[in-house]
Amino acid sequence: MEFNLIIAALLGIFLFHGFCSSEKAPNYSFMRQATTAPAISHYDYIIIGGGTAGCPLAATLSQNYSVLLLERGGSPYGNPNITYLSAFGSALSDVSPKSPSQRFISEDGVINARARVLGGASCLNAGFYSRAGTKYVSSVGWDGKLVNESYVWVENKVAFQPPVKQWQSAVRDGLVDSGVVPYNGFTYDHINGTKIGGTIFDAAGQRHTAADLLEYANPSGITLLLHATVHKILFKIRGLSRPKAHGVIFRDALGKKHKAYLRRREMNEVIVSSGALGSPQMLMLSGVGPSEHLKAHNITVVLDQPNVGQRMMDNPMNAIFVPSPVPVEVSLIQVVGITSFGSYIEAASGENFSGSRSSRRDYGMFSPKIGQLSTVPPKHRTPEALEKAINSMSALDEAAFRGGFILEKIMGPISTGYLELRTRNPNDNPSVTFNYFKEPEDLQRCVNGLKVIENIIESKSFSEFRYDTLSLPALLNLTASAPVNLLPKHDNISVSLEQYCKDTVMTIWHYHGGCQVGNVVDKDYKVIGVDNLRVIDGSTFNYSPGTNPQATVMMLGRYMGVRILNERLAKEESQIN
């Protein structure tokens, strides 16, 4: 019972790792509430979404042009529940409309979340920073030199080398012992073998996110509006051979409507950077999507684009919790094993993130309120039910809070799903299905990854951090008994790693797709069939880059910002000549 409860709390915590934080709170002169915006305004670029791609993109474009950056959430700065590691639980358990995270449950029964804060998904992850591989860069047709320059631009603000202590070192050595070689030391590069990756946490334990990249912005060239929810993109249609984006309608926190238009210059654009859920949702709400689906929601069809919302993907993650007979350090994702068969092995550990349990009945990082793995459905998560869960936590021995997770995430993935609207309200989550393990190759990669994890647990390097009395089948059954998702469970699934993969599948928050290059946007990220409209974010990925996509999403914002500036400069110079 003790380990079951602690697993339920920890699986979400170790992998979700809290929200945006930064020791200093930049007083951006260009950042203000949307309630202060005029009813009508005009800009060269309108960017929908101040997230992992939107912030570096806006900062770059602001060097030469006027930019409006619209973020539906608030600022990550100045909130102690966001800033401090010790308060992670308080932020994670926040399900209010003002929360930095918006929970959703996929149709697969896996609990997930999307960002609702300046800085986006870089505020909701485990902090791991790793570049895309050179083969990935080449396969998508990016300019290698500009990619490297853009990564460095990002890294100068947000990337650091993590301290690696005893538990993470044991996992690292266990990976090498298990044949995940060579050992490549500390590097941002994506290379087969075992390595120490980067982190967006600095030496003081403060998180740095895409919001910090706005320090690069030209203050006179950018307007950032918080709590600005875009309801639709506006198109000109009359007299044109194809639709042309020319503005947006957004509402502020009081519900007041505002309109922002592009200035009348040929190359001005609306750019959607709302993430893998938000970007296809925004296109559909604006009339760009599968015509029959749009008509069913009484949305006027601007362009019948059946690929919008298709090929949604989420990298399935499976983990094994290993109770430790000795205390372990609190660690985020630091070590990764990049295997040759398409599975990435990572780990996270911790003791009691919540401080003194006697003085904090909320239990911080172990709070039953967090909900990522609660057995109580959100609508039934009453104060009485939570109180009962907290009382159960009070009976746990301190030893139940010791241990860590070794997890595997499959590359790709190959299995795909789809996204559909539920309502016409942009604040509501769309319906999304990922079809985890639909393709046999994805399932086999999971099985192979779990076998490596088993080898790590049994390795001499890791022996100090496991109980000899707990067999591998016992550890598998222990983890599987936790309410990690809303799927039905099978008895003694440790006899079948395939069944274990299916029963214990979780998200690692790397979902992508819905607006892929080649299907919805072209290689320049321009929406096919529409003028003056691009999508630049993870929704355009056909494949998740590296072991964690956040470095590449931030890089992409900078990369495309530079590309757009260079292309515009070249065209303007040619017109002069």
Side-chain angles (χ1 to χ4, degrees):
M1 176 62 179
E2 288 184 357
F3 286 134
N4 291 354
L5 278 171
I6 202 62
I7 289 168
L10 287 178
L11 274 166
I13 302 314
F14 285 137
L15 305 176
F16 213 11
H17 290 310
F19 296 84
C20 265
S21 61
S22 178
E23 188 171 21
K24 62 186 178 65
N27 183 24
Y28 293 137
S29 60
F30 49 81
M31 181 171 69
R32 59 180 187 267
Q33 297 298 317
T35 51
T36 66
I40 298 176
S41 55
H42 297 81
Y43 298 88
D44 296 321
Y45 290 96
I46 299 172
I47 300 175
I48 305 172
T52 318
C55 287
L57 176 63
T60 302
L61 293 177
S62 72
Q63 301 304 315
N64 293 62
Y65 300 96
S66 64
V67 176
L68 174 63
L69 179 60
L70 298 168
E71 169 53 47
R72 71 188 184 116
S75 169
Y77 304 113
N79 183 339
N81 288 340
I82 290 175
T83 302
Y84 301 109
L85 287 165
S86 60
F88 274 168
S90 299
L92 285 165
S93 62
D94 183 4
V95 294
S96 72
K98 295 181 180 179
S99 172
S101 171
Q102 184 174 355
R103 184 174 298 144
F104 71 93
I105 302 175
S106 73
E107 300 304 313
D108 313 272
V110 173
I111 303 166
N112 212 316
R114 59 192 293 210
R116 184 168 51 193
V117 61
L118 182 69
S122 67
C123 302
L124 302 176
N125 59 27
F128 196 70
Y129 184 97
S130 184
R131 296 182 175 190
T134 54
K135 289 183 179 179
Y136 185 99
V137 172
S138 176
S139 68
V140 297
W142 291 335
D143 179 285
K145 182 175 182 293
L146 181 55
V147 164
N148 288 334
E149 291 172 353
S150 298
Y151 274 126
V152 171
W153 183 88
V154 171
E155 289 154 10
N156 286 338
K157 288 288 185 184
V158 306
F160 308 89
Q161 180 174 352
V164 180
K165 298 182 180 179
Q166 290 83 1
W167 195 87
Q168 288 278 345
S169 294
V171 174
R172 175 199 63 200
D173 296 343
L175 274 164
V176 174
D177 291 346
S178 300
V180 185
V181 292
Y183 174 58
N184 296 306
F186 166 71
T187 179
Y188 294 144
D189 292 336
H190 185 80
I191 315 168
N192 275 12
T194 296
K195 73 167 189 173
I196 306 299
T199 177
I200 58 174
F201 287 91
D202 64 23
Q206 304 294 328
R207 182 189 286 266
H208 295 258
T209 75
D212 291 7
L213 298 175
L214 289 170
E215 293 176 13
Y216 283 120
N218 173 11
S220 63
I222 183 172
T223 298
L224 164 58
L225 297 181
L226 302 175
H227 298 113
T229 301
V230 177
H231 282 246
K232 67 183 299 185
I233 301 164
L234 299 172
F235 294 95
K236 289 181 178 179
I237 299 175
R238 289 184 181 178
L240 300 175
S241 59
R242 46 195 258 160
K244 178 179 181 180
H246 74 115
V248 300
I249 294 175
F250 66 95
R251 292 185 182 273
D252 60 32
L254 300 177
K256 184 178 179 181
K257 183 189 294 186
H258 304 259
K259 292 182 180 180
Y261 293 102
L262 295 177
R263 289 175 175 158
R264 294 184 178 181
R265 298 176 68 181
E266 179 186 354
M267 299 185 73
N268 289 352
E269 294 177 310
V270 174
I271 304 176
V272 185
S273 297
S274 301
L277 263 66
S279 289
Q281 179 186 29
M282 178 53 55
L283 291 185
M284 289 183 187
L285 291 174
S286 305
V288 178
S291 59
E292 293 304 314
H293 181 57
L294 300 186
K295 291 174 183 177
H297 286 273
N298 294 318
I299 296 173
T300 301
V301 178
V302 173
L303 176 68
D304 179 16
Q305 173 45 285
N307 291 319
V308 174
Q310 297 301 304
R311 293 185 52 79
M312 294 297 299
M313 291 171 275
D314 187 23
N315 300 81
M317 185 271 289
N318 295 82
I320 299 177
F321 176 63
V322 187
S324 173
V326 297
V328 299
E329 75 266 14
V330 173
S331 68
L332 310 181
I333 306 298
Q334 297 177 344
V335 174
V336 61
I338 301 173
T339 71
S340 59
F341 54 77
S343 182
Y344 305 137
I345 316 299
E346 300 174 346
S349 65
E351 194 168 3
N352 189 347
F353 289 18
S354 63
S356 171
R357 286 190 288 152
S358 61
S359 62
R360 292 190 60 181
R361 297 187 73 251
D362 188 53
Y363 290 93
M365 300 261 321
F366 293 153
S367 174
K369 297 179 183 178
I370 287 166
Q372 157 70 10
L373 304 126
S374 173
T375 53
V376 184
K379 65 181 180 181
H380 297 141
R381 202 169 292 142
T382 64
E384 292 78 16
L386 291 173
E387 184 69 18
K388 182 178 179 181
I390 290 171
N391 289 337
S392 297
M393 295 285 285
S394 301
L396 293 177
D397 185 87
E398 287 287 345
F401 290 81
R402 290 202 301 258
F405 294 91
I406 307 178
L407 62 98
E408 68 83 33
K409 159 200 165 180
I410 67 164
M411 65 187 293
I414 300 172
S415 304
T416 67
Y418 56 93
L419 176 148
E420 295 179 330
L421 297 176
R422 292 186 192 273
T423 73
R424 293 171 60 181
N425 186 343
N427 293 306
D428 292 342
N429 288 318
S431 166
V432 60
T433 303
F434 292 116
N435 289 324
Y436 299 104
F437 301 127
K438 180 180 179 181
E439 298 296 330
E441 186 173 343
D442 286 342
L443 185 60
Q444 187 59 51
R445 286 172 169 175
C446 175
V447 170
N448 292 342
L450 289 174
K451 289 178 180 178
V452 173
I453 293 175
E454 290 181 337
N455 289 336
I456 294 169
I457 295 171
E458 291 189 315
S459 69
K460 182 179 179 181
S461 300
F462 196 75
S463 59
E464 179 184 358
F465 297 105
R466 65 159 294 186
Y467 286 97
D468 292 335
T469 55
L470 283 174
S471 65
L472 284 172
L475 291 176
L476 290 170
N477 284 326
L478 185 66
T479 306
S481 65
V484 298
N485 54 41
L486 303 183
L487 298 172
K489 301 296 184 289
H490 296 78
D491 294 334
N492 198 27
I493 64 171
S494 62
V495 300
S496 169
L497 291 181
E498 287 84 359
Q499 196 63 56
Y500 184 90
C501 288
K502 293 176 181 178
D503 282 11
T504 65
V505 63
M506 292 174 285
T507 183
I508 197 167
W509 296 275
H510 294 172
Y511 52 90
H512 53 287
C515 297
Q516 279 98 341
V517 172
N519 293 322
V520 175
V521 300
D522 64 19
K523 62 181 178 61
D524 295 315
Y525 299 90
K526 295 179 180 180
V527 176
I528 298 169
V530 177
D531 289 330
N532 299 78
L533 179 65
R534 300 195 204 218
V535 178
I536 300 175
D537 59 23
S539 72
T540 64
F541 292 161
N542 285 281
Y543 204 85
S544 185
T547 57
N548 185 305
Q550 74 159 338
T552 303
V553 176
M554 287 189 277
M555 181 282 295
L556 180 63
R558 169 62 177 178
Y559 175 90
M560 283 307 301
V562 174
R563 280 274 309 275
I564 291 169
L565 291 181
N566 289 343
E567 290 168 4
R568 187 159 184 165
L569 178 62
K571 185 164 186 177
E572 290 174 349
E573 287 180 345
S574 67
Q575 290 174 342
I576 293 174
N577 296 331

